[in-house]
Amino acid sequence: MLNKSYLRRYFIFLVGLVFNGFGVSLITKASLGTSPISSIPYVLSLSFKPTIGEFTIIFSCLLILLQIILLQKKFPLQSLLQFPVSILFGEFIDAGMYILSAFQPDDMLICLLSLLLGCLVLGFGVYLEVIADVVMLPGEAFVKAVNIKFHTEFGSTKMCFDTTMSVIAGLLSFVFTHKHQGVGAGTIIAALLVGYVARQIAKIESLKSVLLNESYLNEVV
């Protein structure tokens, strides 16, 4: 049975997922190129019936299966939690897209503000996931699995992973829509800014103490 400390961490992780989903939605709505991990699901959602959230779930499950293939017996059973987490993440993205359905910015300044706000929201969500320290999202978990299997460095592997996702999304966009959609300057900005925001928030030690403090969350969980 999970103790209160773990329940609080899972609660923080769940809140982080909500922020992540809404952050991805804001970035996507900016129409300047969505985040690297969402680029393939978004491009596919432009040409097929499933939503960006539903394609995110499918893509995430594929990444989990690849982890199992790479790690085999080294794959931790706790990482199977990535399956329900993937479903929640996809649903939160679709919920964010629904909430923002009336938001159709056509002014470059508004699009840029939407992109930057989305990066801030997503960066905060990533920070919450990190301090919760209970389970990783499939994208990061896949990168970690590659590190373990091939003894690579996480940062470099993550950069290669994001770049590969963006290139594949760009190719799929041309194949299915004959246009350049889903990948753009916003993709690069999101790839650079989200991690930066998460790192800057992590420097606020008092915030982590407050969020993980037992007395602060007693009334919430």
Side-chain angles (χ1 to χ4, degrees), residues 32-199:
L32 297 174
T34 190
S35 60
I37 191 62
S38 300
S39 57
I40 292 178
Y42 177 60
V43 167
L44 291 175
S45 72
L46 296 175
S47 302
F48 301 97
K49 187 176 181 179
T51 63
I52 178 176
E54 291 168 343
F55 269 122
T56 296
I57 295 171
I58 295 170
F59 183 58
S60 296
C61 289
L62 174 61
L63 290 177
I64 299 170
L65 292 176
L66 289 175
Q67 291 173 51
I68 295 173
I69 293 172
L70 283 174
L71 298 180
Q72 298 179 18
K73 293 182 179 180
K74 292 183 179 180
F75 181 81
L77 289 179
Q78 185 180 356
S79 292
L80 290 174
L81 288 173
Q82 292 177 66
F83 283 110
V85 164
S86 298
I87 295 173
L88 287 174
F89 183 40
E91 292 296 334
F92 289 148
I93 291 176
D94 278 348
M97 295 297 285
Y98 176 77
I99 292 171
L100 297 171
S101 58
F103 179 57
Q104 302 292 339
D106 53 7
D107 181 81
M108 180 55 71
L109 178 59
I110 301 300
C111 290
L112 185 58
L113 288 175
S114 177
L115 171 65
L116 295 178
L117 179 59
C119 289
L120 289 174
V121 172
L122 184 53
F124 184 65
V126 170
Y127 165 75
L128 291 178
E129 288 175 22
V130 171
I131 67 168
D133 193 27
V134 288
V135 62
M136 300 177 75
L137 283 176
E140 284 70 30
F142 174 75
V143 172
K144 185 177 180 180
V146 172
N147 296 157
I148 295 172
K149 179 69 175 181
F150 301 105
H151 308 289
T152 58
E153 193 271 325
F154 186 88
S156 300
T157 308
K158 181 69 166 63
M159 186 179 299
C160 291
F161 175 74
D162 287 345
T163 302
T164 301
M165 295 303 99
S166 300
V167 170
I168 293 174
L171 292 174
L172 290 174
S173 178
F174 279 113
V175 170
F176 293 121
T177 69
H178 306 293
K179 291 185 292 184
H180 187 67
Q181 293 181 294
V183 180
T187 305
I188 300 174
I189 293 173
L192 297 174
L193 189 56
V194 170
Y196 175 79
V197 169
R199 287 193 297 272

